[in-house]
């Protein structure tokens, strides 16, 4: 329902998550790549293993095997932990979690900015961070940040 409502506003590109029904998962890829201006971005719900600093940048060739070679950014979710880290030539970006409160310690949203052939990300808190290490990952949202 959410995707259909968003499609009324603008085109939507989506990937399957881990809580969808089998019917919904069949309708969406687990990974896809999109092109915006001169920037290619891969989208997926989950990357495994989730320990990015240890598995990357040991090999940037992983993108070739997934059919998303030439990407400058990988946008993912699953952990609900905000991440905005460049390793090698790729920006690894997890906007975090902005849904209804559950066990998540913080609510965040992310925005990507494309400037010519470069991409950068920014993460904004919607709630105060519970732990000091979050302060290195995001900024507080206000109408002045738009």
């Amino acid at each position: 329902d959410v995707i259909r409502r968003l499609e009324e506003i603008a085109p939507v590109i989506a990937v399957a998550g881990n809580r969808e029904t089998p019917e919904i998962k069949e309708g969406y890829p687990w990974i896809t790549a999109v092109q915006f201006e001169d920037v290619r971005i891969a989208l997926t719900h989950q990357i495994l293993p989730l320990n990015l600093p240890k598995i990357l940048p040991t090999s940037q060739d992983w993108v070739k095997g997934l059919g998303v070679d030439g990407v400058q950014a990988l946008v993912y979710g699953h952990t609900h932990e905000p991440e905005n880290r460049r390793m090698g030539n790729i920006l690894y970006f997890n906007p975090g979690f902005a849904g209804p409160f559950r066990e998540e310690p913080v609510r965040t949203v992310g925005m990507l900015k494309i400037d010519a052939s470069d991409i950068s990300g920014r993460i904004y808190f919607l709630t105060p961070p519970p732990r000091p290490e979050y302060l290195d990952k995001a900024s507080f949202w206000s109408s002045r940040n738009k």
Side-chain angles (χ1 to χ4, degrees), residues 41-60:
I41 303 169
L43 306 170
T44 190
H45 173 73
Q46 181 175 359
I47 55 174
L48 288 174
L50 296 171
N51 193 348
L52 282 179
K54 288 191 178 178
I55 64 163
L56 304 169
T58 57
S59 172
Q60 296 286 320

Side-chain angles (χ1 to χ4, degrees), residues 32-73:
T32 192
V34 294
Q35 186 86 23
F36 293 100
E37 298 179 16
D38 293 333
V39 176
R40 189 164 157 82
I41 303 169
L43 306 170
T44 190
H45 173 73
Q46 181 175 359
I47 55 174
L48 288 174
L50 296 171
N51 193 348
L52 282 179
K54 288 191 178 178
I55 64 163
L56 304 169
T58 57
S59 172
Q60 296 286 320
D61 290 339
W62 65 266
V63 294
K64 292 178 186 171
L66 297 177
V68 293
D69 51 321
V71 299
Q72 291 161 268

